[in-house]
Amino acid sequence: MKKMLVLLFSFVLVCGYFGSAIAAEKINFYANITAIEPIIDDFNTDHTPGAVYTRISTSKYLATVLTEFSAGKLRADVLQSPLPIMQMLKEKGVLAPYKSAAATGYPAWAQEDDSIIQFGIEYVAPIYNKDLVKPADVPTRYEDLTDPKWYNKMVMPDPSSHATTISWLVGMKEAKIFGDDDGWMKFLKGLAANKPMFVKSFGPTPAPIESGEKVLGISMPKYIISKAPAPLAWAKVDTLLGTPRGIAVAANASNPKAAREFVDYWLSKNAMQLLATRVGEYVLAPGVFPPIDGISTVKVLPIRSLSDDEIRYWGKEFRKIFYGK
């Protein structure tokens, strides 16, 4: 009898241990956005299970997710990345259908897909070192970046290989920022003539501007927030373009209900306010803006997702213009 009681007690302890472990299993969130810990912490305050955030760079995101998914070992319950990557993941069957009521009030185009909900725009703008650029010299138009006074003083992602920059440049053409194709080509050649320093992505662009190695760059206004107190400001051009950001539930989520709850929270005004205020992101929740002077009144437009063939084509074209070969 005593042995049976001991065995029963042990069984209860083991069941309790594994039951607690299962209940405590957190939502795995794969994202390419940096510095979102405040949002994860806020979610975890009021939700069980909580969430854990894994940051994967944009350049490695698609390969990482598809490799895990193909092997049946995708740990992500929720995925976030630029829209073109999300669309490729959907084509491969990685995403589950889900329409969140939390996106009510977002632009209609952000809610059209049955799986991917667009919540922000990866907005691009000229940023500069406000300690080194005189107020009278701050660009007010994109064309001002072609002024010879900026020769060897700029930084930008490589337009021959960085897909987002390629899409942004093509987006400027399609949005007719320069009036017509001739005006757009004149801008490209003028920008190339100023010999900007090229880096792999937007992430490394603020550092040389902050240090004074360069004073101006094609970058993202969000760095004014995330790199504070660096002496960064943005050139207030009248229209900003950028790649939409999307979020979706994984098709093989270990806890689909909890994953949907996380997506609902992420799209909430509270979470989007944190994303705007603490990270500097431009979000689509109505009435929410990052605390960056002038951002609430500027026009911010999503750019079209280019196909792989288009990215390759324009990358080669931009290489001819910016590298001369």
Side-chain angles (χ1 to χ4, degrees), residues 22-42:
I22 291 170
E25 185 178 348
K26 291 190 173 183
I27 301 160
N28 281 299
F29 180 44
Y30 282 12
N32 82 313
I33 296 182
T34 58
I36 61 170
E37 288 81 4
I39 303 175
I40 301 298
D41 291 343
D42 187 65

Side-chain angles (χ1 to χ4, degrees), residues 95-274:
L95 308 182
Y98 181 55
K99 302 276 281 187
S100 173
T104 300
Y106 281 47
W109 55 263
Q111 308 177 60
E112 289 175 348
D113 194 90
D114 66 349
S115 300
I116 305 164
I117 303 167
Q118 299 174 54
F119 64 88
I121 295 177
E122 201 173 16
Y123 60 152
V124 177
I127 69 170
Y128 63 95
N129 186 315
K130 60 185 179 182
D131 290 344
L132 300 176
V133 177
K134 298 176 182 178
D137 289 335
V138 176
T140 58
R141 307 178 307 150
Y142 289 107
E143 290 90 339
D144 294 341
L145 301 179
T146 66
D147 192 310
K149 68 184 174 186
W150 303 121
Y151 180 83
N152 202 32
K153 294 182 179 181
M154 291 192 291
V155 59
M156 65 179 289
D158 192 327
S160 71
S161 59
H162 185 239
T164 305
T165 299
I166 292 170
S167 298
W168 178 73
L169 289 171
V170 174
M172 297 182 85
K173 173 182 183 292
E174 295 181 347
K176 300 189 181 302
I177 297 296
F178 306 100
D180 56 23
D181 288 358
D182 289 341
W184 176 70
M185 186 56 66
K186 181 180 178 181
F187 166 75
L188 292 178
K189 291 180 177 178
L191 185 62
N194 274 336
K195 300 296 181 184
M197 178 176 80
F198 297 137
V199 292
K200 289 184 177 181
S201 65
F202 286 111
T205 55
I209 300 173
E210 179 183 358
S211 69
E213 179 185 358
K214 305 295 178 183
V215 299
L216 176 68
I218 294 174
S219 186
M220 294 182 174
K222 72 174 185 177
Y223 295 128
I224 296 169
I225 304 298
S226 62
K227 302 296 181 182
L232 302 175
W234 74 287
K236 296 175 184 176
V237 293
D238 61 7
T239 302
L240 301 184
L241 306 177
T243 304
R245 294 187 182 276
I247 190 169
V249 174
N252 62 347
S254 58
N255 188 337
K257 181 176 183 294
R260 291 191 291 268
E261 288 176 356
F262 180 82
V263 170
D264 291 344
Y265 167 78
W266 181 267
L267 297 169
S268 70
K269 188 169 185 177
N270 181 60
M272 289 295 97
Q273 189 71 65
L274 285 171

Side-chain angles (χ1 to χ4, degrees), residues 61-72 74 88-89 92-94:
Y61 198 98
L62 189 64
T64 299
V65 173
L66 289 181
T67 298
E68 291 185 8
F69 182 74
S70 298
L74 180 62
M88 284 186 272
L89 292 179
K92 298 294 184 180
V94 179

